[in-house]
DNA sequence: CTTGCAATGACTGAT
DNA sequence: TCATTGCAAG
């Protein structure tokens, strides 16, 4: 058992204790994936049938990598029998198998967020509600969190608490939207992301035989990233593991960053109550990062109140200090970071793939893309608009969806008039009204017009009829010809390919290329299926909705600089990590400043970012940044101040006295010259444009210089208000402890904190 | 019904 | 800044 030798005692214990309920608390970089991998391999080596193992991971890519690794260790081809993947992909498969029990077709469509939002928009309109009050995104998140807590539309309506809540917030009819949404999804034979978990719960609740079957199939259940599971997922796991209680959950409460998706840290905290006879293993040794990075990360996370006690430590070398870079604008931030990468490559001989630029929001990628491109540094962006979310791809997929499942309402609405065939808004409205009058799907109305009189003029009827005929002609071939032939037929005969080919603009060309890329992907899929079988298009469609950018790693992307959000970086590691846009209102996000728990989640997010770095971490912020078309000034993030300053190296000093003066004005004019002729401030909205920020700086008083600050002085801080200096560190002082009546004791780095001395 | 232009609002995060 | 929506004219 060679593989056991490479483990430390805690890791080994977590690997070999395969029976019973087990919780592994795994600090960042502590070899969590390794433990999970070896544990499964160990079980199989000791006679457990892979068929009896269920392993739930956070991404499909992680599942694939783990499976490959297990296959390597145990040899043979057994590993492929393990049920491994994300909750969504594993249970969507199970749901398809038993769909009839829930009244769904087995080829039900999976609605992505765009589809859900569009359906909600339509419903709000049909109910004649004001879409300013009933904002689709808000309603969607409300419905989503209801589903994640297993509250159906009927239960929602009956729940006086939530209904009152909606009434208080001016949305008394929200439950009607939920009710209609639930019904329409069902009519369309569609499930949204939350349904995949919700309906699994229903299936296991209402069908004892199914529950019994899977309880005995999955004798061993393993869950990775348990801190990011929501109630719905928690309950599925609990039900499945109830027969054998061979359940192993792995997680780190300090890395819980998905509460917006309903994730509940309580799940990990309550594990011990759910399983009385359980074992806990703590992995605390970090193998990934330098001491500097580990200690800095620890000093940050220590600020959080809600956490399981543990001490992450490392044997690794001390390493370089964490660099802190200040730039004047977001564009300069991009240039500076790109130059740093360029130099690190030359100096250390590092590969492109050793670098990652991590940001809080997808919109921040632009300045880095531009500057990297100028230096000819190859990069790859993850997240943002994924391939499968592009308009042209979704259009073609909508044809595929409609062919497989004609009741799919969102797919129908998407392509009924694309490419243009003269079916307009009024016609579609009539179809929708008729469908809801008869309680049938849109497809039934248009495919049997004589049965459902809709008052559509005969001209439009002819066009609709032609559309129905073409979809039907695809449908009869669906299970006869292979996926690629089918896809190609549809792409050509629907007119999509021609429509894009005719568009000679650069965007049009790239859209055409994307379609070709999708088709060749389908071709590859068709060819990789085993001998003697045919891969149908419906097989390809099964998990297309669940694919993400991260799941496909292309060969040509092997040696590239990685650009991604911190959320997307979970579980990854890079020698050099640049955490950028560390500014108040951006990171932490202004939306998270209202409550302690939200701020703590932002802090955990920062912790995750920092602990991605193996060798060198660099933090960066800009004093002003383009947002919504105008320039906003920004302050360095509080998270920089929260790191023990001994671990930091300031690359350039802020110029304290120049903030309100000439410099920012010059900067401002420069940006203006480069930009458009638009008015300077389209007085649009909040987020202090520069000219509003200035009055906040009173002319009187002095800016705190390190030298003249003394214990006992009264000071004013921009965020915390008045306070008194109670402690100073360093000579000259670099860090001050200040007591603020409003905010309590705060440790402030004098390099960042703009303290004004009052006396 | 389609086209083109002006007005508008959006930026967390992602299966 | 960008993408979506509303409106007027053909």
């Amino acid at each position: 058992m060679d593989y056991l030798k490479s483990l430390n005692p805690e890791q080994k214990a977590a690997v070999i204790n395969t029976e019973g309920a087990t919780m592994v608390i795994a600090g960042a970089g502590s070899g969590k994936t390794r433990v999970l991998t070896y544990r499964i391999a160990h079980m199989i080596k000791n006679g457990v049938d892979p068929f009896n193992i269920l392993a739930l991971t956070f991404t499909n890519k992680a599942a694939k990598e783990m499976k490959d690794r297990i296959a390597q260790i145990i040899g043979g081809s057994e590993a492929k029998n393990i049920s491994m993947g994300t909750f969504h992909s594993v249970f969507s498969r199970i749901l398809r198998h038993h769909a009839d029990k829930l009244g769904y077709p087995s080829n039900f469509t999976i609605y992505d967020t765009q589809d859900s939002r569009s359906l909600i928009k339509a419903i709000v309109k049909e109910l004649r509600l004001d879409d300013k009050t009933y904002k689709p995104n808000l309603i969607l998140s409300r419905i989503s969190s209801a589903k994640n807590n297993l509250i159906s539309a009927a239960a929602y309506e009956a729940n006086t608490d939530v209904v009152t809540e909606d009434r208080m917030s001016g949305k008394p009819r929200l439950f009607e939207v939920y009710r209609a949404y639930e019904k329409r999804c069902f009519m369309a034979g569609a499930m949204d992301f939350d349904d995949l978990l919700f309906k699994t719960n229903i299936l296991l609740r209402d069908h004892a035989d199914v529950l019994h079957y899977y309880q005995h199939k999955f004798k061993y259940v393993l869950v990775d990233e348990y801190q990011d599971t929501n109630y719905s997922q928690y309950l599925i796991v609990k039900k499945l593991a109830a027969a054998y209680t061979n359940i192993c959950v792995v997680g780190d409460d300090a890395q819980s960053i998905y509460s917006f998706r309903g994730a509940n840290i309580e799940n990990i905290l309550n594990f011990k109550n759910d399983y009385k006879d359980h074992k806990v293993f703590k992995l605390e040794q970090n193998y990934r990062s330098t001491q500097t990075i580990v200690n800095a990360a620890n000093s940050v996370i220590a600020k959080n109140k809600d956490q399981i006690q543990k001490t992450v430590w490392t044997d690794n070398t001390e390493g370089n200090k964490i660099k802190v870079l200040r730039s004047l604008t977001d564009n300069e931030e991009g240039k500076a970071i790109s130059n740093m990468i360029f130099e690190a490559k030359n100096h250390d001989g590092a590969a492109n793939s050793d670098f990652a630029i991590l940001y809080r929001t997808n919109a921040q990628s632009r300045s880095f893309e531009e500057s990297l491109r100028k230096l000819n540094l190859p990069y790859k962006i993850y997240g943002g608009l994924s391939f499968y979310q592009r308009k042209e791809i979704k259009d073609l997929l909508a044809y595929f969806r409609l062919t497989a499942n004609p009741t799919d309402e969102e797919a129908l609405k998407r392509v009924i008039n694309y490419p243009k065939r003269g079916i307009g808004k009024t016609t579609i409205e009539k179809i929708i009204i008729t469908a809801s009058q008869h309680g049938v799907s849109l497809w039934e109305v248009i495919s049997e017009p004589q049965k459902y009189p809709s008052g559509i003029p005969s001209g439009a009827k002819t066009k609709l009829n032609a559309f129905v005929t073409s979809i039907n002609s695809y449908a009869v071939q669906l299970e006869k010809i292979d996926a690629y032939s089918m896809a190609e037929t549809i792409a050509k005969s629907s007119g999509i390919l021609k429509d894009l080919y005719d568009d000679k603009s650069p965007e049009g060309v790239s859209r055409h290329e994307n379609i070709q890329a999708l088709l060749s992907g389908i071709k590859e899929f068709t060819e990789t299926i085993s001998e003697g079988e045919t891969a149908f298009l419906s097989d390809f469609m099964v998990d297309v909705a669940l694919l993400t950018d991260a799941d496909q790693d292309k060969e040509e992307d092997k040696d590239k600089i990685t650009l991604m959000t911190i959320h997307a970086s979970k579980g990854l590691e890079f020698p050099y990590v640049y955490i950028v846009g560390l500014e108040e209102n951006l990171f932490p996000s202004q939306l998270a400043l209202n409550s302690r728990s939200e701020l703590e989640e932002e802090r955990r997010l920062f912790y995750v970012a920092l602990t991605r770095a193996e060798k060198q971490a660099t933090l960066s912020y800009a004093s002003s940044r383009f947002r919504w078309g105008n320039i906003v000034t920004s302050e360095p993030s509080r998270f920089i101040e929260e790191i023990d300053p001994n671990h930091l190296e300031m690359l350039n000093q802020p110029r304290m006295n120049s903030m309100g003066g000439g410099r920012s004005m010059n900067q401002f004019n420069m940006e203006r010259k480069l930009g458009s002729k638009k008015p300077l401030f389209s007085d649009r909205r909040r987020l202090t444009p520069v000219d509003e920020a200035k009055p906040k700086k009173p002319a009187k008083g002095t800016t705190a210089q390190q030298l003249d600050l003394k214990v006992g002085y009264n000071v004013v801080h921009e965020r915390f208000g008045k306070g008194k200096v109670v402690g100073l560190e360093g000579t000259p002082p670099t860090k001050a402890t200040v007591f603020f009546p409003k905010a309590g004791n705060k440790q402030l780095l004098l390099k960042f904190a703009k303290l004004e001395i009052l006396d």
Side-chain angles (χ1 to χ4, degrees), chain A residues 616-683:
Chain A
Q616 174 73 62
T618 303
L619 313 179
S620 157
Y621 66 94
S623 321
S624 71
R625 154 179 317 272
F626 245 103
R627 276 178 108 179
W628 303 283
N630 38 31
I631 301 162
V632 292
T633 52
S634 33
E635 302 236 353
S637 168
R638 66 188 75 193
F639 296 145
I640 302 179
E641 295 178 14
E642 287 176 0
I643 296 180
D644 181 340
N646 291 323
H647 301 310
L648 300 181
E649 176 195 351
M650 304 294 158
L651 293 184
N652 39 21
Q653 297 290 323
R655 288 165 226 210
M656 293 242 161
N657 295 322
S658 63
M659 285 303 292
R663 166 162 296 280
S664 63
M665 219 39 224
N666 287 339
Q667 186 57 41
F668 188 67
N669 289 333
M670 250 173 58
E671 292 288 350
R672 178 163 160 67
K673 231 181 274 170
L674 295 171
S676 65
K677 293 153 210 140
K678 282 216 171 163
L680 280 183
F681 301 111
S682 63
D683 67 346

Side-chain angles (χ1 to χ4, degrees), chain A residues 703-710 713 728 730-734 750 757:
Chain A
T703 306
Q705 298 291 338
Q706 284 111 309
L707 293 176
D708 46 36
L709 195 66
K710 298 214 167 60
Y713 274 21
L728 287 170
T731 39
T734 54
L750 295 176
I757 299 173

Side-chain angles (χ1 to χ4, degrees), chain A residues 241-254:
Chain A
Y244 292 85
T245 55
N246 286 320
I247 174 169
C248 172
V249 303
V250 183
D252 178 7
D253 57 299

Side-chain angles (χ1 to χ4, degrees), chain A residues 34 74 124 247 269 334 437 513 542 563 596 641 700:
Chain A
R34 203 167 183 198
I74 62 172
V124 167
I247 174 169
L269 302 175
Q437 277 168 354
E513 283 169 4
V542 163
L563 272 66
R596 180 177 67 90
E641 295 178 14
K700 64 171 186 126

Side-chain angles (χ1 to χ4, degrees), chain A residues 145-198:
Chain A
S145 75
K147 283 189 186 170
N148 286 329
N149 288 297
L150 303 182
I151 299 169
S152 66
Y156 191 97
E157 200 171 335
N159 185 324
T160 44
D161 284 355
V162 287
V163 174
T164 310
E165 210 177 297
D166 285 343
R167 201 180 304 124
M168 299 301 266
S169 67
K171 291 177 270 294
R173 297 179 66 191
L174 206 152
F175 73 90
E176 290 178 57
V177 182
Y178 186 8
R179 196 204 289 153
Y181 176 77
E182 190 179 70
K183 183 170 171 216
R184 290 280 273 278
C185 285
F186 184 73
M187 298 288 309
M191 296 198 195
D192 65 17
F193 286 132
D194 303 313
D195 280 332
L196 296 177
L197 308 172
F198 183 84

Side-chain angles (χ1 to χ4, degrees), chain A residues 55 83 192 246 333 337 380 459 489 501 504 546 553 559 637 665 672:
Chain A
S83 297
D192 65 17
N246 286 320
E333 179 184 44
I337 298 283
K380 159 89 180 117
T489 305
Y501 185 76
K504 298 296 180 195
L546 301 173
D553 46 349
D559 187 34
S637 168
M665 219 39 224
R672 178 163 160 67

Side-chain angles (χ1 to χ4, degrees), chain A residues 270-286:
Chain A
N270 285 336
F271 187 83
K272 43 173 88 68
N273 303 331
D274 289 336
Y275 304 94
K276 270 191 213 140
D277 293 320
H278 70 279
K279 301 189 197 79
V280 178
F281 300 101
K282 283 191 187 180
L283 309 181
E284 299 180 308
Q285 181 174 1
N286 175 306

